[in-house]
């Protein structure tokens, strides 16, 4: 796609600065892409970047059909998607843009220090109803979840719930900040937020014996974490706006943007 | 012109000056017609807007009714729109909307009606001029501020002091009800017993006061022991929605009470009725259609509110057990529509998108139904009053 774009640009006789990048895909990665795009368009006049958020699956579809230059995805491309891409002559290349770690948070007064992923799942399935069963006080657990529209919910669903349904008594809130607010004011609450949202007002639980930190997420020791991707058709040619965009997450400014949004940036070059 | 013949017939003294006036008359009539059609156009814009909204929502909801999820929509309580395969059971959400609206009615209607009666017939004029605008300020507070209050102040308060608050509420509701019931029943009993009226009244009233007081005390003790696990629940939202509906209820019902007029009240006083009798027997019946309208407007305010319920109801798609247990989190139609309406779904036009419009359609049907019901009720009382 990049080569094709470059070819059309040369044919049209315009500079690379007048290029247009179309991005589509995950709602989780969308905010990163949008912030990057904003920064790029401020730096380079004439460069036009559009960012759509239609879901990881639709991003892959768009890349395969050639309607976008970059697909943002919160999961790796599936085998059949790669096959479908090959069938259309698209060579999908994966770039890790950031790491996403979810901290399981409770009230600071809660004596429980750590849980296993299976225990967290049982709590959210409604199988474990009281903190007593987890070594805490005899209080019913108040489940707090992000709304089903959010990428954070999607990540939790995939990493912890493993396709099982969250109990119907769980409360849903509209933002990660609201989860933190609810957990810090509710002694019996449990919630999950991106690593960037953890502060001293809530307690992040140790999961499977690993504390959630940027290091454990990067080393993939922390179990409730995942990589976020950009997919392009072939490796973008060096010097093009596309290549610069894909590599932006490794720069100082790019890493800053990623951690401001609440994700763990990839290590600097 | 064919019309000149009959016109000259009607006015036999048709002089040139009158011919002129005839032309002018036509001009006036034409202007009238123009003005009328202009007004008609303006009036129909708002009607058209309603028609357009109904059409648009129905059009977006239509794809949902062609999927196989319609039966599940009304019958299932399982709301898992993002799962594969998705489940679109809206029953629990309908119950949630109903529960918080009912709670808001319980808060807003007695308070609102009492306040409006107090404003129109009890408080001195000068004080009323101060109190009414203060109540109306409640309507000027943005709903997100109410939501923030519910989430950050009321929810933790309910969690920490829920029992105390509930027992205080039990006293606040129970004490006036018991006192009123004791006095009224005591009066009735005195009416039955011909002989020693005052003594009988005093005995019955005191006995009822004691019994009622004991009952309220027991109730307050009982609810005082209740622990509220999560402060973002149906109770929290009901209280806040009730407060939000108050200015609507107070304003409209106070206007209705004022509209009854001085003559009716003075007539009643002239017949020897007391203020309480005048209020209960004359003013309230005469204003009942307006009061009904006030209550329904208040209900509509509560059922349509989105921000507060999205922030503070907990949004758990469950039917509380038992159904009136307002201490559990619930999910409402409005909050679901607002919370699940992501940009993502709009692009794909998926079932997950159209189900939200199906819910909006349900909400619309409910409010249209209530509007019609209030219209019918108002007309019926008006007819009854005339007869």
């Amino acid at each position: 796609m990049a080569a094709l774009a470059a070819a059309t640009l040369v044919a049209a006789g315009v500079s690379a600065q007048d290029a247009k990048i179309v991005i589509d895909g995950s709602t989780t990665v969308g905010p990163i892409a949008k912030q990057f795009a904003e920064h790029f368009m401020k730096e380079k006049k004439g460069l036009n970047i559009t960012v759509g958020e239609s879901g990881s699956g639709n991003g892959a579809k768009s890349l395969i059909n050639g309607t976008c230059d970059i697909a943002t995805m919160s999961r790796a491309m599936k085998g059949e998607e790669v096959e479908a891409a090959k069938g259309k002559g698209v060579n999908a290349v994966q770039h890790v843009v950031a790491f996403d770690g979810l901290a399981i948070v409770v009230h600071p007064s809660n004596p429980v220090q750590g849980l296993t992923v299976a225990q967290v799942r049982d709590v959210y399935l409604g199988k474990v109803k009281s903190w007593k069963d987890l070594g805490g006080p005899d209080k019913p657990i108040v489940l707090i979840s992000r709304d089903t529209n959010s990428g954070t919910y999607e990540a939790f669903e995939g990493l912890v719930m493993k396709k099982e349904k969250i109990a119907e008594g769980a409360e849903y809130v509209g933002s990660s900040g609201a989860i933190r607010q609810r957990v810090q004011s509710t002694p019996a609450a449990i919630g999950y937020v991106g690593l960037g949202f953890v502060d001293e007002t809530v307690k992040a639980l140790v999961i499977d014996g690993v504390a959630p930190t940027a290091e454990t997420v990067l080393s993939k020791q922390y179990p409730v974490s995942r990589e976020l991707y950009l997919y392009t058709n072939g490796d973008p040619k060096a010097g093009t706006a596309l290549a610069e965009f894909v590599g932006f997450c490794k720069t100082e400014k790019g890493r800053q943007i990623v951690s401001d949004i609440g994700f763990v940036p990839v290590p600097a070059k | 012109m064919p019309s000149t013949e009959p016109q000259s017939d009607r006015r036999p003294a048709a002089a040139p000056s009158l011919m002129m006036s005839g032309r002018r008359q036509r001009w006036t009539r034409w202007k009238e017609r123009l003005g009328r059609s202009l007004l008609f156009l303006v009036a129909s814009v708002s009607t058209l807007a309603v028609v357009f909204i109904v059409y648009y929502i129905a059009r977006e909801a239509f794809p949902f009714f062609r999927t196989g999820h319609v039966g599940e929509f009304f019958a299932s309580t399982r709301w898992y729109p993002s799962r594969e395969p998705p489940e679109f059971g809206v029953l629990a959400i309908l119950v949630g909307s109903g529960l918080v609206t009912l709670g808001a009615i319980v808060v807003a209607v007695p308070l609102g009606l009492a306040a409006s009666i107090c404003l129109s017939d009890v408080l001195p004029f000068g004080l009323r001029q101060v109190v009414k605008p203060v109540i109306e300020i409640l309507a000027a507070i943005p709903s997100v501020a109410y939501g923030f209050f519910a989430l950050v102040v009321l929810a933790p308060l309910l969690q920490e002091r829920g029992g105390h608050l509930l027992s205080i509420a039990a006293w606040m509701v129970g004490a006036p009800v018991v006192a009123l019931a004791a006095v009224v029943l005591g009066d009735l009993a005195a009416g039955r017993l011909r002989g020693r009226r005052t003594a009988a009244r005093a005995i019955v009233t005191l006995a009822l006061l004691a019994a009622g007081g004991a009952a309220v005390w027991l109730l307050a003790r009982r609810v005082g022991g209740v622990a509220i696990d999560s402060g973002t629940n149906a109770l929290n939202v009901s209280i806040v929605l009730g407060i939000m509906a108050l200015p609507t209820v107070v304003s409209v019902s106070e206007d209705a009470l004022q509209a009854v007029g001085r003559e009716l009240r003075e007539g009643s006083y002239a017949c020897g009725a007391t203020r309480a009798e005048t209020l209960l027997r004359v003013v309230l019946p005469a204003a009942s259609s307006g009061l009904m309208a006030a209550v329904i407007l208040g209900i509509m305010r509560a059922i349509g509110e989105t921000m507060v319920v999205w922030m503070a109801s907990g949004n758990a798609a469950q039917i509380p057990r038992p159904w009136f247990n307002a201490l559990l989190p619930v999910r409402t139609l409005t909050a679901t529509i607002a919370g699940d309406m992501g940009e993502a779904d709009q692009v794909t036009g998926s079932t997950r998108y159209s189900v939200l419009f199906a819910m909006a359609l349900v909400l619309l049907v409910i409010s249209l139904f209530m509007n019609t019901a209030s219209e019918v009720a108002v007309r019926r009382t008006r007819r009854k009053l005339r007869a």
Side-chain angles (χ1 to χ4, degrees):
Chain A
M1 177 56 49
L4 195 97
T8 35
L9 285 179
V10 170
V14 289
S15 71
Q17 301 246 315
D18 291 310
K20 186 173 189 304
I21 301 178
V22 178
I23 302 171
D24 193 15
S26 159
T27 51
T28 312
V29 194
I32 301 179
K34 272 184 182 161
Q35 292 280 321
F36 280 15
E38 217 166 273
H39 179 77
F40 265 66
M41 287 193 281
K42 219 185 288 165
E43 296 280 294
K44 300 185 195 332
K45 297 279 173 248
L47 178 63
N48 190 10
I49 305 177
T50 61
V51 180
E53 295 181 359
S54 55
S56 293
N58 285 313
K61 245 178 252 166
S62 300
L63 188 73
I64 293 166
N65 293 331
T67 52
C68 76
D69 304 306
I70 300 177
T72 55
M73 296 183 70
S74 59
R75 56 168 172 82
M77 251 193 198
K78 292 175 194 158
E80 64 247 43
E81 283 168 339
V82 175
E83 286 306 310
K86 271 187 192 147
K88 293 225 174 183
V90 173
N91 173 28
V93 176
Q94 184 189 75
H95 313 265
V96 176
V97 68
F99 293 85
D100 184 14
L102 290 186
I104 313 296
V105 290
V106 296
H107 194 265
S109 72
N110 197 322
V112 174
Q113 296 294 339
L115 295 174
T116 63
V117 172
Q119 277 176 316
V120 175
R121 180 161 60 241
D122 282 349
V123 166
Y124 272 91
L125 283 174
K127 280 187 192 161
V128 175
K129 285 185 166 30
S130 170
W131 282 109
K132 199 174 66 179
D133 302 330
L134 302 169
D138 188 9
K139 267 188 197 161
I141 302 173
V142 177
L143 303 173
I144 318 272
S145 168
R146 273 300 302 279
D147 56 301
T148 55
N149 235 2
S150 72
T152 314
Y153 172 86
E154 219 175 89
F156 185 77
E157 205 176 36
L159 293 167
V160 176
M161 299 314 290
K162 314 267 191 225
K163 297 285 154 207
E164 287 188 81
K165 284 168 182 164
I166 290 179
E168 57 179 19
E171 297 182 20
Y172 291 85
V173 301
S175 69
S176 295
I179 288 200
R180 188 173 60 195
Q181 198 282 331
R182 286 287 295 136
V183 170
Q184 76 196 24
S185 64
T186 310
I190 186 168
Y192 57 86
V193 290
L195 275 193
F197 285 94
V198 177
D199 62 10
E200 67 284 355
T201 62
V202 291
K203 182 161 83 177
L205 293 179
V206 172
I207 302 296
D208 287 349
V210 183
T213 62
E215 291 76 46
T216 55
V217 167
L218 279 180
S219 67
K220 297 182 186 170
Q221 280 173 293
Y222 184 69
V224 195
S225 66
R226 59 177 178 172
E227 292 172 323
L228 303 177
Y229 308 102
L230 301 180
Y231 276 88
T232 54
N233 179 11
D235 245 329
K237 245 185 219 154
T240 60
L242 200 61
E244 221 175 303
F245 192 94
V246 170
F248 187 60
C249 59
K250 294 191 180 109
T251 65
E252 184 80 19
K253 180 74 191 158
R255 299 181 76 234
Q256 184 63 44
I257 288 174
V258 167
S259 62
D260 281 351
I261 302 173
F263 297 115
V264 177
V266 293
K269 263 189 273 196
Chain B
M1 266 200 188
S3 63
T4 29
E5 271 296 312
Q7 237 175 19
S8 58
D9 271 359
R10 242 189 287 144
R11 275 179 260 130
S17 63
L18 281 178
M19 285 299 286
M20 267 298 285
S21 103
R23 202 178 297 155
R24 207 174 287 160
Q25 228 171 26
R26 267 201 296 282
W27 171 232
T28 317
R29 215 178 298 147
W30 196 78
K31 271 199 297 192
E32 237 175 54
R33 218 174 279 159
L34 183 80
R36 210 179 292 161
S37 51
L38 208 69
L39 284 177
F40 177 75
L41 209 71
V42 171
S44 51
V45 163
S46 56
T47 317
L48 273 178
V50 173
V51 170
F52 180 74
I53 288 170
V54 172
Y55 165 76
Y56 183 74
I57 290 179
R59 198 192 65 180
E60 294 291 316
F62 184 67
F64 178 77
F65 294 109
R66 294 210 297 193
T67 63
H69 294 288
V70 181
E72 164 187 60
F73 187 80
F74 290 108
S76 162
T77 63
R78 296 175 65 78
W79 175 253
Y80 291 104
S82 67
R83 299 311 300 254
E84 223 29 81
E87 290 185 72
F88 297 111
V90 173
L91 187 61
I93 298 173
L94 276 170
V95 172
S97 265
L99 185 63
V100 298
T101 307
L102 194 69
I105 294 170
V106 169
V107 174
V109 170
L111 268 180
L113 290 187
S116 65
I117 290 168
C118 189
L119 277 173
S120 83
D121 281 75
V122 181
L123 284 186
F125 183 76
L127 201 54
R128 184 203 307 165
Q129 295 302 91
V130 181
V131 174
K132 201 179 179 191
V134 170
I135 291 179
E136 277 163 1
I137 282 178
L138 286 177
I141 300 173
S143 62
V144 67
Y146 278 107
F148 193 69
F149 170 80
L151 181 64
V152 173
V153 179
L154 196 53
L157 200 65
L158 283 174
Q159 280 160 198
E160 283 156 29
R161 312 212 174 283
H164 289 274
L165 288 180
L166 285 179
S167 59
I168 290 171
W171 275 112
M172 271 171 61
V173 176
V177 167
V178 166
L180 205 69
V183 170
V184 170
L185 288 176
D187 253 6
L188 277 179
R192 286 280 170 81
L193 300 167
R194 274 274 150 213
R196 317 171 87 195
R197 267 181 144 183
T198 11
R201 180 186 300 168
I203 289 167
V204 172
T205 308
L206 278 178
L208 281 169
L209 267 181
V216 173
W217 183 75
L218 277 176
L219 181 73
R221 249 192 71 165
R222 177 109 193 269
V223 296
V226 169
I228 300 177
D229 302 313
S230 174
T232 52
N233 54 29
L235 176 69
N236 180 333
V237 172
S238 296
I239 294 170
V240 175
L241 286 183
I243 294 170
M244 291 175 78
L246 257 186
T248 313
V249 177
V250 171
S251 254
V252 178
S253 52
E254 206 253 355
D255 285 345
L257 291 172
Q258 286 291 318
V260 169
R262 216 184 162 85
E263 295 82 1
L264 223 55
R265 289 186 173 88
E266 279 172 354
S268 171
Y269 290 136
C271 291
T274 62
R275 181 146 76 180
E277 283 164 344
T278 306
L279 256 175
L280 290 175
R281 298 275 168 79
V282 178
V283 178
L284 287 185
S288 63
S289 62
L291 298 182
M292 178 72 108
V295 168
I296 287 182
L297 279 175
I299 294 173
M300 307 262 266
R301 176 88 181 88
I303 207 171
E305 175 51 41
T306 306
M307 205 58 212
V308 169
V309 285
W310 173 236
M311 288 171 85
S313 72
N315 298 310
Q318 61 175 351
I319 297 180
R321 270 174 290 259
W323 67 268
F324 52 82
N325 185 354
L327 302 179
L328 291 176
V330 294
R331 195 180 183 94
T332 66
L333 285 170
T334 49
T336 307
I337 295 169
D340 283 15
M341 185 67 74
E343 277 176 81
D345 296 312
Q346 212 165 342
V347 180
T348 51
S350 59
T351 313
R352 206 180 151 191
Y353 174 72
S354 53
V355 70
L356 298 180
F357 277 90
M359 290 164 83
L361 196 63
V362 169
L363 208 55
L364 199 69
V365 168
I366 291 174
S367 55
L368 284 181
F369 176 77
M370 291 208 349
N371 236 345
T372 319
S374 79
E375 197 75 12
V376 168
V378 165
R379 258 185 225 160
R380 197 169 288 169
T381 36
R382 233 179 247 155
R383 211 179 304 140
K384 206 167 67 186
L385 278 179
R386 218 176 288 140

